[in-house]
Amino acid sequence: MRRRRTAIFFLVFGICLSALAIALNVGWILLNLREVVVLVLGIIFFAVIITGLILNTIFLLREIRRNEQQDAFLNAVTHELRTPIASIKLYLETLRSRAVDEKKQHEFYDTMLSDTDRLMHTVDQVLSASRIRTERKKPAAEEVSVNALVTEAVDIVRSRYNLSESVFRVAEAKEDVRVAGDAEELRTAFVNLLDNAVKYSGDDPKVAIRIRLSSLRSRVLVFIRDNGIGIAPHELRRIFKRFYRVSDGPGKKTKGSGLGLFLVRTIIKRHGGHVWAESKGTGRGATLRVQLPVI
Ligand code: ADP
């Protein structure tokens, strides 16, 4: 809130200074109409000052917005770390303080294991995002089968959310399409896309995945379509930015750090590909489309 007020203050301040500079500029022109050299010099100086002021204001606002996003990210990640730790602690305390029958014990262990998975996922996400940002090396050039990659990613997400077989429908490419790259990085990218498709799809997710070769057979296209909350047109590009999260409506709180799609975009770019989001709008599902060069 304080930061927003500061941002508004600097915005108004910047606009007022620019207006003042423009007024002085116009005054200067009127006063010096006859002295051409002074007039031209004055106009140039004022133009420089105005440009500087505008650039300064834009820079300041960007910095403030980035700071806000980093704060939101820290809050989200801390929450993502705290919730499973609190849950594991509770189960351990229960196990220590009273006799629990064997069946219940197994249930507790399963829940603790899935909490640990969630913790690992968050930590991995943060580590990968910071590593990949500074990574200069090209990714490894293993031969990776896209059909197999997508199947693995589906299995990981299915077991992460305990989903039934019917949630994912995969239409594989007829031939065994292969791309060159780092299998682990590519798996991370597809897991993130499928995870989002489920996470942003409410109680009855239906995710259709289609893999096909481009008409020139030089690229493979993977379409991941969900029936979820959809994405507003003005957010379609922004969602790939680091820390960017679309704010939830009142009463809704999806978990996340805003790193998932940033990782996806960075990984796919490193492999010479592209990723886009498409959606007919809020509430109308989304399609994430990945394109990669084939071997
Ligand atoms: P996170 O999921 O951790 O918030 P991401 O970088 O994975 O971060 O996604 C950024 C934002 O993009 C999300 O906050 C969400 O609003 C939006 N988004 C991503 N995938 C989908 C999807 N399949 N359907 C609707 N919105 C999505």
Side-chain angles (χ1 to χ4, degrees), residues 1-19:
M1 195 62 204
R2 238 187 88 204
R3 203 163 263 161
R4 171 135 305 158
R5 249 185 257 145
T6 322
I8 292 172
F9 171 77
F10 276 106
L11 183 66
V12 174
F13 185 57
I15 292 171
C16 288
L17 283 181
S18 306

Side-chain angles (χ1 to χ4, degrees), residues 141-167:
E142 305 160 37
E143 270 194 24
V144 189
S145 151
V146 178
N147 286 344
L149 191 73
V150 169
T151 313
E152 273 175 55
V154 165
D155 288 340
I156 293 173
V157 176
R158 190 180 279 145
S159 80
R160 184 178 289 168
Y161 289 98
N162 235 332
L163 298 169
S164 70
E165 292 280 320
S166 62
V167 170

Side-chain angles (χ1 to χ4, degrees), residues 125 192-193 195-201 224 226 228-231 235 238-241 243-248 254-264 285-288:
Q125 197 93 320
N192 276 329
L193 290 171
D195 188 292
N196 277 348
V198 172
K199 195 163 78 171
Y200 297 106
S201 281
I224 298 168
D226 64 54
I229 59 171
I231 305 164
E235 305 279 16
R238 290 189 197 161
I239 54 175
F240 292 96
K241 285 190 187 159
F243 304 141
Y244 191 83
R245 305 199 69 215
V246 177
S247 50
D248 287 332
T254 36
K255 298 165 203 140
S257 56
L259 288 177
L261 287 182
F262 165 73
L263 261 177
V264 172
T287 302
L288 272 288

Side-chain angles (χ1 to χ4, degrees), residues 41-162:
L41 275 180
I43 290 174
I44 292 171
F45 281 137
F46 276 124
V48 171
I49 292 172
I50 292 167
T51 317
L53 273 169
I54 291 171
L55 287 180
N56 196 32
T57 313
I58 293 172
F59 172 79
L60 238 130
L61 281 175
R62 274 215 188 132
E63 278 307 295
I64 290 170
R65 194 178 313 141
R66 194 168 300 165
N67 264 341
E68 271 180 356
Q69 280 174 357
Q70 275 179 1
D71 276 359
F73 162 75
L74 261 184
N75 278 339
V77 167
T78 316
H79 180 77
E80 277 295 279
L81 294 177
R82 209 177 182 287
T83 316
I85 293 175
S87 153
I88 294 172
K89 185 164 180 263
L90 191 76
Y91 282 111
L92 286 175
E93 278 170 357
T94 315
L95 283 169
R96 197 181 60 174
S97 63
R98 63 183 168 87
V100 180
D101 65 53
E102 205 165 320
K103 192 168 159 256
K104 267 262 166 307
Q105 273 186 24
H106 279 291
E107 269 176 35
F108 285 9
Y109 292 141
D110 284 345
T111 318
M112 283 194 278
L113 273 175
S114 77
D115 281 335
T116 333
D117 281 345
R118 189 170 151 195
L119 274 175
M120 291 275 279
H121 172 67
T122 310
V123 173
D124 282 347
Q125 197 93 320
V126 176
L127 286 179
S128 315
S130 76
R131 199 185 52 222
I132 215 151
R133 239 166 69 86
T134 49
E135 189 71 274
R136 294 268 172 272
K137 268 196 317 195
K138 283 195 150 201
E142 305 160 37
E143 270 194 24
V144 189
S145 151
V146 178
N147 286 344
L149 191 73
V150 169
T151 313
E152 273 175 55
V154 165
D155 288 340
I156 293 173
V157 176
R158 190 180 279 145
S159 80
R160 184 178 289 168
Y161 289 98
N162 235 332

